Amino acid sequence: MPRRVWTTPLSQRLAGLSGAAAVGAGAVGAHALPKHLRSLGLSSAERKTYTEIFGTASRYHLLHALLLLCAPLARFPMATAGLLLGGKLLFVGSL
């Protein structure tokens, strides 16, 4: 019997990559973003606003990654995965 290299669905592999990117973005938001915003000379209120926006985007990115992990369980897995990826690009990318 031939050996199958990719046994997991594409959506689950994309979910893993997306989740890793979300965790990385969260780390950047927690550690590097405050220093960067301070170096730009923004006021405290502006820094707080940008930090909250970045945090929201990071949370939604992680949520979409978790939902993408479950896409193979849906009735139409490819459509579900496509809609989740499209929604993530539109929503998280717009923040």
Side-chain angles (χ1 to χ4, degrees):
M1 179 184 309
R3 182 174 168 219
R4 292 174 53 183
V5 177
W6 297 106
T7 58
T8 57
L10 176 64
S11 61
Q12 288 183 334
R13 286 183 267 142
L14 290 174
L17 292 172
S18 180
V23 170
V28 167
H31 300 288
L33 185 65
K35 293 175 190 174
H36 178 68
L37 294 176
R38 225 176 289 118
S39 72
L40 293 175
L42 298 175
S43 70
S44 177
E46 290 173 319
R47 288 194 312 260
K48 182 180 178 193
T49 300
Y50 284 118
T51 302
E52 288 175 357
I53 290 171
F54 195 89
T56 300
S58 181
R59 276 190 299 278
Y60 277 105
H61 188 110
L62 187 59
L63 177 64
H64 276 84
L66 290 173
L67 290 172
L68 192 57
L69 188 63
C70 299
L73 302 175
R75 184 171 181 187
F76 300 105
M78 291 305 289
T80 302
L83 288 171
L84 283 167
L85 288 171
K88 179 172 27 177
L89 289 175
L90 290 174
F91 181 73
V92 175
S94 70
L95 291 177

